Amino acid sequence: MDAHLQAKIQHWLGLDGDPSSHNEIQAMLDNDEQRELEQRFSGRLTFGTAGIRGVVGAGPMRMNRLVVQQTSKGVAEYLKAQVKQAASRGVVIGYDGRHDSKQFAYDAAAVLTSAGVKVYLTEQVAPTPLVAFGVLHLKAAAGIVVTASHNPPQYNGYKVYWENGAQIIPPHDTGIAARIEQAAQQRVPLMPISDALASKQLVMLGDDFYQAYRDGIKQSTVLQNHTQPALVSLAYTAMHGVGAEMAETVLKDAGFTQVYSVAAQREPDGDFPTVNFPNPEEAGAMDLVIAEAHQHNAMLACANDPDADRFAVAVRKPDALASMAATEAYQMLTGDQVGVLLGHYLLSHAPDNQRLTCRTIVSSSLLSKVSIAMHGVCETTLTGFKWLTNVGMSKQSADNQFLFAYEEALGYTIGSMVWDKDGLSALVAFAQLTAELASQGQTLWDRLEAIYRQHGYYLNEQVSIALSGSDDSPTIGEQLRNLNPTEIAGQKIVSVDDISLGKRRFADGRIEPIDLPSSDVLIYCLDDGARVIVRPSGTEPKVKCYYEVVCDFGEQETLSEVHHRATLAMKALIEQHQQQLPKS
């Protein structure tokens, strides 16, 4: 075995106090699994703006107790250096229902308290939005949630919130990462949980904390539209996650009595036995909740992902029959459709001084059109909820407070109680929208059609493309900038946003600045209203493309007819754009 690799392994074993992890490495050594060991010790899980996430296992490239301890030590030291009174203000820690999450949370608490930082630790599993809420509620210096969200069972993760209750953004990610590297060079001190409790360095968050979040939902000014909730029936699934108890509670508080939970998926289970992939966006993941809805002839089939920060919904079709298969009777709404419906609904009830909405660059631009028409403002941010909430905070004012933000990947935040995506408050708001429409004899399909008739039919799709090319080839972004195309799929390009340069270039030569952090993203706006966004993946010959087509809604057209027309236009746009992309 390479001497350098052997030295790294021995250094790790000298620091790792977890017998199971220690034994896992020793077994690989005994079996001469050099290739696996090389991978495990090829670096360490990178700490970024979403924290860390990876497969659970031994070694610095996996999620395990030592990685969590070293990460927590880095967080503690960075907080003490950057945040006033961080040690006394403390850190809120919560965790999801995965097999290792409670242990990892307790390890984080042991490290932070040993470093002199007060810790507020949830007594039981907690939806991720409760941790973000807890940072502001307790005026803490930061928050940590141990969760892998909707990743497969073998994963776990560790997410950090800043003192403002939002996910960290640069430069805090690199600052924490540097402190973690320092922490990884020596043994991390741990305070026994019993000692931390006795010294009051550790405070357990019990029923009062969960009740505070529940009360916050009940009292939220944007969730006070209680229009005949008894008219609404819905099925719900927590997808083997931690959302069920709170979801059922806040729905009951809002007056919804016809709520049917999927029993087989209600309780936390880190094995996720009934789904191949615990993500509501994945094919088949919603099958059980749709079947539950169909059994009760319910209007909605609703889901939270396992840490309850995302919200998904399927809606009963207008022509659905009891004799139909459940999957034929219900249709999933896209994240963009839910985002536009919620944005329109919230703006229709918001006061004049609370009309600030946000969307990401890859989400549907329809929310911007709706916001302008309803005398609101819609800010556009880089991809990721960390940008949506941090921008929302920075742009709001006394005259125009923050109302709503969303990203197409099923993330929504309603009001400013939680500065992160919150699948629980989104569930309540969507049920309230449905109730309001039902009280007027209308459906969600009626509302969607009305929005489309006013603004046009917007259809969005995402495609990841692997391209040929060698390591020394120019990146896709560089090649596209050099090519400087003037049209895509036969449509003239009217403007190009180059986010890496912070500039918008129009076809007539005009240039405008773009107020976004630098990112390797190109946005092409076409003269037929379509949009193509290209996100190259650094030096790899891969690219993510986001497409949007806009179709006028003919006066005599039905919703299904315009959808069919838009789908054909989308197919043509994607095929022709991919043919135009550089092949090497």
Side-chain angles (χ1 to χ4, degrees):
M1 182 183 293
D2 174 76
H4 184 55
L5 173 60
Q6 197 166 26
K8 288 195 288 186
I9 293 171
Q10 292 307 314
H11 174 72
W12 176 269
L13 292 174
L15 300 175
D16 192 359
D18 180 12
S20 63
S21 174
H22 204 284
N23 293 339
E24 186 178 337
I25 295 295
Q26 190 59 54
M28 284 187 275
L29 287 168
D30 295 342
N31 296 325
D32 196 27
E33 297 178 38
Q34 184 161 333
R35 192 168 180 180
E36 179 68 14
L37 286 165
E38 286 173 351
Q39 200 284 324
R40 298 279 186 109
F41 288 87
S42 61
R44 68 178 296 116
L45 286 179
T46 302
F47 187 93
T49 51
I52 55 173
R53 189 174 293 181
V55 174
V56 174
M61 287 296 290
R62 295 286 188 270
M63 280 294 297
N64 51 68
R65 295 184 65 186
L66 183 53
V67 162
V68 167
Q69 291 163 13
Q70 293 170 341
T71 301
S72 301
K73 180 64 171 175
V75 169
E77 296 306 319
Y78 185 77
L79 282 175
K80 289 192 293 184
Q82 295 288 325
V83 179
K84 290 181 180 180
Q85 301 176 320
S88 59
R89 289 172 60 189
V91 174
V92 180
I93 301 178
Y95 55 94
D96 70 9
R98 290 172 185 260
H99 295 305
D100 303 282
S101 292
K102 184 174 182 178
Q103 180 63 67
F104 290 166
Y106 273 67
D107 282 332
V111 172
L112 287 161
T113 52
S114 176
V117 179
K118 187 173 186 177
V119 168
Y120 299 93
L121 176 62
T122 60
E123 282 187 344
Q124 55 185 309
V125 293
T128 289
L130 268 70
V131 177
F133 162 78
V135 174
L136 294 182
H137 178 67
L138 296 167
K139 299 181 175 60
I144 295 168
V145 60
V146 179
T147 179
S149 188
H150 54 278
N151 280 79
Q154 63 268 33
Y155 281 77
N156 215 324
Y158 181 112
K159 183 191 291 188
V160 178
Y161 294 99
W162 200 238
E163 62 178 330
N164 62 2
Q167 294 180 41
I168 57 170
I169 56 174
H172 302 312
D173 52 347
T174 54
I176 292 173
R179 296 282 186 162
I180 294 170
E181 289 294 337
Q182 295 172 14
Q185 302 310 310
Q186 54 198 336
R187 186 175 291 276
V188 177
L190 305 173
M191 179 180 284
I193 294 297
S194 57
D195 292 354
L197 286 167
S199 65
K200 298 187 178 178
Q201 277 285 95
L202 175 60
V203 176
M204 302 303 293
L205 297 175
D207 291 342
D208 289 350
F209 174 67
Y210 293 82
Q211 184 64 41
Y213 175 87
R214 175 186 178 186
D215 290 342
I217 294 285
K218 288 171 68 174
Q219 297 161 13
S220 172
T221 57
V222 295
L223 297 174
Q224 296 305 310
N225 183 33
H226 303 290
T227 311
Q228 294 183 258
L231 294 176
V232 173
S233 54
L234 65 92
Y236 170 81
T237 180
M239 210 156 284
H240 299 294
V242 297
E245 186 173 349
M246 187 61 75
E248 293 162 5
T249 298
V250 294
L251 284 171
K252 184 178 180 180
D253 287 343
F256 294 94
T257 55
Q258 298 184 72
V259 177
Y260 311 99
S261 271
V262 178
Q265 296 178 328
R266 187 182 183 279
E267 302 305 322
D269 188 334
D271 292 325
F272 303 103
T274 67
V275 288
N276 293 326
F277 200 123
N279 180 354
E281 291 182 292
E282 294 292 322
M286 294 281 289
D287 284 357
L288 286 185
V289 71
I290 289 173
E292 186 80 19
H294 195 43
Q295 178 183 339
H296 298 282
N297 196 32
M299 297 175 179
L300 309 175
C302 302
N304 288 135
D305 67 341
D307 68 329
D309 64 349
R310 285 175 168 83
F311 166 71
V313 61
V315 180
R316 191 167 182 84
K317 296 178 182 178
D319 58 350
L321 301 172
S323 58
M324 284 182 172
T327 51
E328 294 176 352
Y330 290 80
Q331 181 175 321
M332 284 286 295
L333 296 185
T334 68
D336 283 312
Q337 288 176 320
V338 174
V340 168
L341 282 167
L342 284 174
H344 182 279
Y345 165 70
L346 293 166
L347 282 165
S348 70
H349 292 282
D352 292 342
N353 68 339
Q354 190 182 16
R355 311 192 75 76
L356 174 61
T357 64
C358 299
R359 66 172 181 88
T360 70
I361 55 174
V362 300
S363 300
S364 174
S365 54
L366 180 53
L367 180 61
S368 296
K369 299 291 179 65
V370 169
S371 295
I372 292 169
M374 301 182 76
H375 310 291
V377 175
C378 185
E379 296 286 344
T380 304
T381 76
L382 292 182
T383 306
F385 236 86
K386 58 184 178 287
W387 296 114
L388 286 167
T389 50
N390 278 284
V391 169
M393 274 186 264
S394 68
K395 295 290 186 180
Q396 73 171 346
S397 64
D399 294 331
N400 195 20
Q401 296 172 32
F402 175 81
L403 176 65
F404 171 71
Y406 95 96
E407 63 180 359
E408 83 294 341
L410 309 184
Y412 317 92
T413 188
I414 313 290
S416 55
M417 187 183 91
V418 174
W419 285 106
D420 194 19
K421 51 186 174 289
D422 183 352
L424 299 167
S425 57
L427 169 64
V428 173
F430 200 83
Q432 290 179 329
L433 160 62
T434 307
E436 178 179 87
L437 290 169
S439 71
Q440 299 166 358
Q442 293 187 307
T443 68
L444 290 158
W445 301 113
D446 295 327
R447 175 58 54 83
L448 260 182
E449 182 171 335
I451 292 171
Y452 288 145
R453 286 192 181 278
Q454 181 178 355
H455 300 286
Y457 187 89
Y458 283 67
L459 183 65
N460 296 75
E461 285 197 25
Q462 173 187 339
V463 179
S464 291
I465 307 166
L467 303 172
S468 61
S470 60
D471 291 340
D472 57 355
S473 299
T475 66
I476 300 303
E478 290 168 343
Q479 294 181 68
L480 287 170
R481 290 180 181 91
N482 290 332
L483 286 171
N484 193 22
T486 58
E487 64 175 44
I488 293 176
Q491 295 294 325
K492 290 182 179 179
I493 297 171
V494 297
S495 67
V496 180
D497 290 4
D498 189 337
I499 310 301
S500 69
L501 300 176
K503 293 181 179 179
R504 174 175 295 145
R505 187 181 71 253
F506 292 91
D508 61 10
R510 288 180 298 121
I511 295 178
E512 290 181 354
I514 299 172
D515 183 21
L516 288 173
S518 178
S519 182
D520 192 6
V521 179
L522 293 163
I523 303 175
Y524 301 94
C525 293
L526 311 184
D527 61 359
D528 64 350
R531 183 188 69 186
V532 176
I533 300 175
V534 180
R535 291 179 63 199
S537 58
T539 58
E540 290 184 291
K542 293 181 180 179
V543 64
K544 266 189 176 180
C545 298
Y546 299 82
Y547 300 94
E548 179 173 84
V549 298
V550 184
C551 294
D552 291 333
F553 207 129
E555 189 174 338
Q556 302 302 318
E557 260 186 317
T558 65
L559 188 59
S560 61
E561 288 170 343
V562 73
H563 172 74
H564 177 69
R565 189 158 52 87
T567 300
L568 294 177
M570 177 65 76
K571 182 181 179 182
L573 175 62
I574 292 173
E575 288 178 351
Q576 293 179 52
H577 176 249
Q578 289 186 46
Q579 291 173 4
Q580 286 183 241
L581 285 171
K583 301 298 187 288
S584 61

